Amino acid sequence: MTTSIDGLPLASGATGPAVRDLQDRLCGLGHPVDRTDGDRFGPSTERAVRAFQSQRRLTEDGVCGTQTWLALVEAGYRLGDRYLYLRAPMQRGDDVTELQRRLSALGFDPGRVDGIFGTGTERALKDLQRNLGLTIDGVCGRDVLAELGRLVGRAADGDVAATRERARLRHASSELAGCRIVVGDLGGLDALTHAVARRLGDLGALVVALDDPDETSQAAAANELDAAAYVGLRLCDAATTTVAYYQGGSWSSPGGQRLATVLIGRLRDGELPVDEQPRGMAVTILRETRMPAVLCRLGPPTTIVESSAQLAAAIGSAVGAWVADPVEP
């Protein structure tokens, strides 16, 4: 099976080899497809896609778009299937996630446990190699895997990456003035995005508004700016607004979760329709941003348009409150 595919997105009614490839991957990952679907994207295939999306904390729409397809590819890798090292483009997969999880449990901080082999993962891997007397090359090969297997059971409880994120946030400035915040329009909310940016600017923040619909591009821009927080806005045809933070597998961003919780509280205070609890998700914009980030999927559209000034005030207030108290006690 190939790691790239033509004809995305694949949805109900699609047929051909690409659908069969999709079905084979879903079955291999424990999401069976009924034989009655054949090479057609039928009801059973859609159910399997939705189940996979739910498991991976993606948008559950039953459509295999680019994010879902790439997640399927990544889910097929197991630690030991390939050498892992820093390269461009960065390696991604469940094998990287498992390596990061083991490094973090052993006290070596890879940064976010996000399945992306970046500079933080390389640094943590080299620290492990240095401590074990191995060749310090930043490559996870047979010697590293053997040592990780030997160290099973010695890992400490807890997550050093999350602990260090909490510590970093606690020691950051509690003043919004001078704090760099990125606000991104991910579709349909250009006016609101700039209204939020103005509101935060009036409160003293250093604000950058982004309007590139590509999530990877927005994440890269926010990372380049070394922002303290990212707030993404997307207009959705939904009855209520949802607020999401990064969560992949058992790891979640403490700062992002706190920001999402505060934001929901401010929206509810403004009597705006919003889900009561934030959602942990692993969509691209939350996964690839390196700072605490939230994604607000705002709806219904008529309410959002009529309440733009109220929304801008609520979001500005929430970011200010988060900067003052960025992690749960």
Side-chain angles (χ1 to χ4, degrees), residues 79 98-110 117 120-152 154-155:
L79 190 60
E98 180 61 16
L99 173 62
Q100 292 170 328
R101 188 190 65 78
R102 294 196 191 191
L103 288 169
S104 185
L106 289 166
F108 301 96
D109 182 12
F117 196 113
T121 303
E122 182 189 47
R123 183 170 54 250
L125 179 55
K126 286 183 175 180
D127 286 344
L128 172 73
Q129 291 172 324
R130 184 177 296 107
N131 275 268
L132 295 177
L134 302 175
T135 300
I136 305 171
D137 58 5
V139 176
C140 180
R142 284 174 293 183
D143 55 347
V144 170
L145 292 172
E147 290 297 328
L148 288 174
R150 184 178 64 82
L151 292 170
V152 169
R154 298 190 185 182

Side-chain angles (χ1 to χ4, degrees), residues 5-16 18-19 22 41 45 49 53 61-70 72:
I5 193 169
D6 296 324
L8 295 177
L10 297 172
S12 181
T15 59
V19 175
L22 168 64
F41 195 119
T45 303
V49 169
Q53 289 171 329
D61 57 7
V63 175
C64 182
T66 301
Q67 286 193 33
T68 298
W69 176 256
L70 292 176
L72 282 163

Side-chain angles (χ1 to χ4, degrees), residues 30-174:
H31 303 288
V33 176
D34 293 344
R35 290 183 178 181
T36 52
D37 276 6
D39 289 343
R40 182 179 64 88
F41 195 119
S44 174
T45 303
E46 181 176 338
R47 285 195 298 272
V49 169
R50 287 183 181 275
F52 175 77
Q53 289 171 329
S54 175
Q55 181 187 62
R56 304 293 290 200
R57 298 184 180 276
L58 303 173
T59 301
E60 296 176 39
D61 57 7
V63 175
C64 182
T66 301
Q67 286 193 33
T68 298
W69 176 256
L70 292 176
L72 282 163
V73 173
E74 292 182 21
Y77 288 113
R78 296 291 177 267
L79 190 60
D81 286 351
R82 55 180 176 166
Y83 284 89
L84 297 175
Y85 55 96
L86 184 62
R87 46 159 283 187
M90 294 178 187
Q91 292 178 302
R92 299 168 181 243
D94 281 18
D95 52 348
V96 179
T97 300
E98 180 61 16
L99 173 62
Q100 292 170 328
R101 188 190 65 78
R102 294 196 191 191
L103 288 169
S104 185
L106 289 166
F108 301 96
D109 182 12
R112 287 185 170 202
V113 180
D114 56 10
I116 303 173
F117 196 113
T119 55
T121 303
E122 182 189 47
R123 183 170 54 250
L125 179 55
K126 286 183 175 180
D127 286 344
L128 172 73
Q129 291 172 324
R130 184 177 296 107
N131 275 268
L132 295 177
L134 302 175
T135 300
I136 305 171
D137 58 5
V139 176
C140 180
R142 284 174 293 183
D143 55 347
V144 170
L145 292 172
E147 290 297 328
L148 288 174
R150 184 178 64 82
L151 292 170
V152 169
R154 298 190 185 182
D157 292 333
D159 182 344
V160 66
T163 298
R164 289 189 179 180
E165 179 174 316
R166 291 189 186 95
R168 184 178 68 254
L169 290 170
R170 287 194 181 102
H171 288 90
S173 172
S174 60

